[in-house]
Amino acid sequence: MGLPKDFLWGGATAANQAEGGMLEGGRGLTNTDLMPIGDDRKAIALGTLDNLERRSAYFYPSEEAIDMYHHYQEDIKLLAKMGLKVYRMSLSWTRIFPNGDDEIPNEEGLLFYEKILLELKKNGIEPLVTLAHFDVPVALIKKYGGWRDRRMVDAYVRYAKTVFTRYRELVHYWLTINEINILLHQPFVGGGLIFKEGDNIEQIKYQAAHHQLVASALATKIAHEINRNNLIGCMLAGGSHYPYTSRPEDYLEAIHRDNGEYFFIDVQARGYYPRYALKKFERENIVLSVETEDERILRENTVDFVSFSYYCSRTVSGFDEDYATTTGNLFKSIKNAYLPSTEWGWQIDPLGLRSSLNMLYNRYQKPLFIVENGLGANDLPDESGYVEDDYRIDYIRKHIEAFKDAVEIDGVELLGYTTWGILDVTAASTGQMSKRYGFIYVDRDDEGKGSLKRIPKKSYHWYKKVIASNGEVL
Ligand code: BG6
């Protein structure tokens, strides 16, 4: 019993929230660089506010983030001391192709990641690399309107091929697109989409989705050709939908809403468009422009494993009544009276992780990987900078117990677990630094002030023991 011996314990970050060095080393701008902290962030994320130029009135949290660009050696040492087996990171597309589709890749960018990957190797940490984590080059948004245009597929595939080749010996676990279903909820973040008046928004979103699905399948194909040992995963913003009551209408709504999110993974893991999606397109007059070979590309290049983020479950109803709602990862939900909430209103539901694992495993019969999970909290350090985050330990412990049960009792195949924001990074939704997830405190505030000093929290020492005992000591 217990978790498999080679279970991958780890932590995750993403380039746009950790690296900084926005214009250093020849890097070009990406979509999330242009998302300021404050009131306009939401409209920009939705693609309803066109904001493709940098403005001095705004503060852009990604510009410096936690400056991993200059701190990566120190950071990796801290991760190694924790005993991490795997580190999930993303590459910044525009560090390698500043305009997204340049003739020649930027050697300085390639070298930067090579150094990180070598450092990880030296420290015995397996990298899990996301190709695009909320990352659409601004030059391609200006040129093509982002993923609405088919030419994005070629640009993405060239970028993928370049890094698969360059890091052939250094990386074996890859994710193609982070939380691919975000495209439907925050189209600028997921696809660089900005809408004009009169645009058929649903049509544009699903066309962009088709391009991402084809690009992801082509990347999977190339990764396998370049190295047979490469394992490629898709990535879903997870969390199942619960019916608000046992009324049949609520249950049916929950099924429909799950389908709405799993749509992408259905294609990436099974290799074809599910019939409920084709019916939706028919009903809503969505006509996709598809090339002859697309069907075959999707069918022949399904992913090796299914990864997902899990922060909360969601509650829905088939009735349009006046419910109390709450925020959650990416989209709103009816407030579940049986669950506590974080300071940001995300509902805490460890057992929901076990249900999600069951649901995904039953649906796809492929190994799963939890690549994000954690508690965003406003940590209060003492004078020395130390944070006693028992609340975070409690949150993670309960989620680990839940996935262990999914593995040991329900028989789910699980490759690993990477907690989100292994060190504090800027928040994707709000841009805040004060929404902290890390086991390592980073001294920086919402205005970008602070020494950037890294200080292990209580949870750091706790997680180290969890890893060393393969999840037996919680
Ligand atoms: C996921 C993203 O949506 O959730 C991460 O993949 C993000 O990038 C995480 O940081 C937590 O969300 P937030 O908004 O609290 O940072």
Side-chain angles (χ1 to χ4, degrees):
M1 283 298 262
L3 292 168
K5 284 209 169 46
D6 54 356
F7 188 77
L8 291 166
W9 292 97
T13 62
N16 76 91
Q17 290 162 262
E19 251 176 40
M22 190 177 74
L23 294 172
E24 291 183 61
R27 183 181 180 280
L29 284 178
T30 197
N31 58 342
T32 34
D33 293 334
L34 296 179
M35 295 186 58
I37 219 165
D39 293 344
D40 289 343
R41 190 174 178 90
K42 182 94 192 280
I44 294 170
L46 294 174
T48 50
L49 179 64
D50 185 342
N51 181 55
L52 286 184
E53 302 306 326
R54 279 173 56 74
R55 297 205 218 144
S56 55
Y58 281 150
F59 170 64
Y60 297 97
S62 286
E63 181 161 354
E64 203 186 0
I66 58 157
D67 196 30
M68 224 184 197
Y69 189 66
H70 296 108
H71 288 74
Y72 71 88
Q73 280 167 312
E74 170 192 349
D75 290 342
I76 293 172
K77 268 197 197 92
L78 278 172
L79 301 184
K81 273 201 193 147
M82 214 189 313
L84 234 64
K85 310 259 185 237
V86 62
Y87 170 53
R88 177 179 175 226
M89 55 183 273
S90 76
L91 306 179
S92 159
W93 183 340
T94 54
R95 207 173 272 300
I96 294 167
F97 289 99
N99 295 295
D101 63 349
D102 311 62
E103 286 282 305
I104 307 167
N106 173 27
E107 179 55 29
E108 209 174 331
L110 285 169
L111 208 57
F112 170 68
Y113 291 116
E114 193 166 296
K115 284 195 217 145
I116 292 190
L117 295 168
L118 286 169
E119 196 69 25
L120 289 170
K121 193 176 170 151
K122 201 168 86 191
N123 285 284
I125 302 175
E126 183 82 45
L128 163 62
V129 176
T130 315
L131 289 172
H133 189 127
F134 304 161
D135 194 356
V136 188
V138 168
L140 297 183
I141 300 178
K142 290 184 176 165
K143 199 158 151 191
Y144 299 143
W147 279 95
R148 73 175 71 204
D149 193 294
R150 175 88 192 192
R151 285 168 290 185
M152 282 297 291
V153 176
D154 305 329
Y156 175 89
V157 166
R158 206 147 65 83
Y159 157 56
K161 192 170 181 181
T162 305
V163 296
F164 291 152
T165 309
R166 177 71 173 236
Y167 308 129
R168 188 180 180 278
E169 307 303 328
L170 295 172
V171 184
H172 298 115
Y173 290 91
W174 297 92
L175 302 180
T176 53
I177 296 176
N178 181 63
E179 291 190 334
I180 188 164
N181 48 326
I182 195 179
L183 186 66
L184 303 177
H185 307 284
Q186 295 185 7
F188 180 74
V189 179
L193 304 179
I194 301 171
F195 303 107
K196 292 184 285 308
E197 228 182 283
D199 268 351
N200 181 343
I201 291 180
E202 287 299 288
Q203 165 77 38
I204 293 170
K205 285 200 290 195
Y206 280 95
Q207 186 63 59
H210 179 71
H211 295 148
Q212 290 195 344
L213 291 167
V214 171
S216 170
L218 283 170
T220 304
K221 176 176 191 287
I222 295 165
H224 287 150
E225 283 164 4
I226 289 177
N227 187 344
R228 268 186 304 144
N229 295 327
N230 274 334
L231 289 172
I232 314 300
C234 51
M235 193 326 195
L236 163 86
S240 304
H241 292 88
Y242 294 165
Y244 182 62
T245 69
S246 51
R247 287 180 291 187
E249 291 82 352
D250 286 354
Y251 180 53
L252 186 63
E253 179 66 14
I255 293 177
H256 284 158
R257 296 282 285 274
D258 273 346
N259 281 349
E261 303 308 319
Y262 296 168
F263 154 69
F264 294 87
I265 312 301
D266 282 351
V267 179
Q268 291 173 296
R270 293 165 165 169
Y272 54 89
Y273 273 69
R275 284 177 62 84
Y276 65 79
L278 300 178
K279 287 288 174 194
K280 173 188 164 74
F281 296 162
E282 218 175 280
R283 223 171 30 247
E284 296 177 16
N285 235 339
I286 294 172
V287 182
L288 297 188
S289 151
V290 173
E291 294 192 0
T292 10
E293 71 272 23
D294 289 357
E295 203 178 303
R296 185 180 47 79
I297 292 169
L298 295 176
R299 196 180 55 247
E300 289 178 357
N301 302 289
T302 55
V303 289
D304 301 308
F305 65 95
V306 171
S307 84
F308 66 106
S309 61
Y310 179 83
Y311 294 92
C312 45
S313 50
R314 313 169 204 284
T315 302
V316 294
S317 168
F319 297 94
D320 195 11
E321 288 164 10
D322 197 15
Y323 302 108
T325 58
T326 182
T327 55
N329 186 20
L330 308 187
F331 40 98
K332 261 212 237 158
S333 153
I334 294 176
K335 196 162 179 176
N336 185 332
Y338 302 98
L339 300 174
S341 301
T342 72
E343 293 165 81
W344 274 264
W346 296 23
Q347 295 207 275
I348 303 174
D349 181 10
L351 204 55
L353 174 59
R354 181 168 167 192
S355 313
S356 285
L357 285 161
N358 271 279
M359 157 85 101
L360 291 168
Y361 192 62
N362 290 345
R363 196 158 174 142
Y364 302 119
Q365 298 287 300
K366 297 214 181 212
L368 304 177
F369 206 139
I370 305 162
V371 294
E372 282 186 36
N373 171 238
L375 175 71
N378 198 353
D379 292 337
L380 297 173
D382 66 15
E383 294 101 73
S384 67
Y386 182 68
V387 178
E388 213 162 301
D389 52 347
D390 291 296
Y391 40 91
R392 180 167 295 106
I393 294 174
D394 187 54
Y395 177 102
I396 304 276
R397 177 190 294 123
K398 288 187 175 133
H399 285 79
I400 294 177
E401 280 165 354
F403 75 66
K404 277 177 69 181
D405 285 347
V407 173
E408 290 170 13
I409 301 172
D410 305 331
V412 164
E413 249 182 294
L414 185 63
L415 297 173
Y417 174 67
T418 58
T419 63
W420 175 249
I422 184 87
L423 25 60
D424 295 341
V425 294
T426 61
S429 51
T430 59
Q432 289 167 300
M433 200 53 224
S434 52
K435 192 180 185 195
R436 297 172 183 275
Y437 287 85
F439 295 152
I440 300 166
Y441 184 81
V442 178
D443 178 27
R444 184 172 163 88
D445 66 16
D446 289 343
E447 276 121 49
K449 291 195 218 90
S451 63
L452 289 169
K453 195 166 165 215
R454 275 73 166 144
I455 307 156
K457 303 179 193 175
K458 186 172 180 181
S459 53
Y460 176 94
H461 305 286
W462 172 80
Y463 196 53
K464 185 176 176 161
K465 289 193 195 129
V466 174
I467 300 176
S469 65
N470 201 25
E472 290 304 308
V473 178
L474 291 174

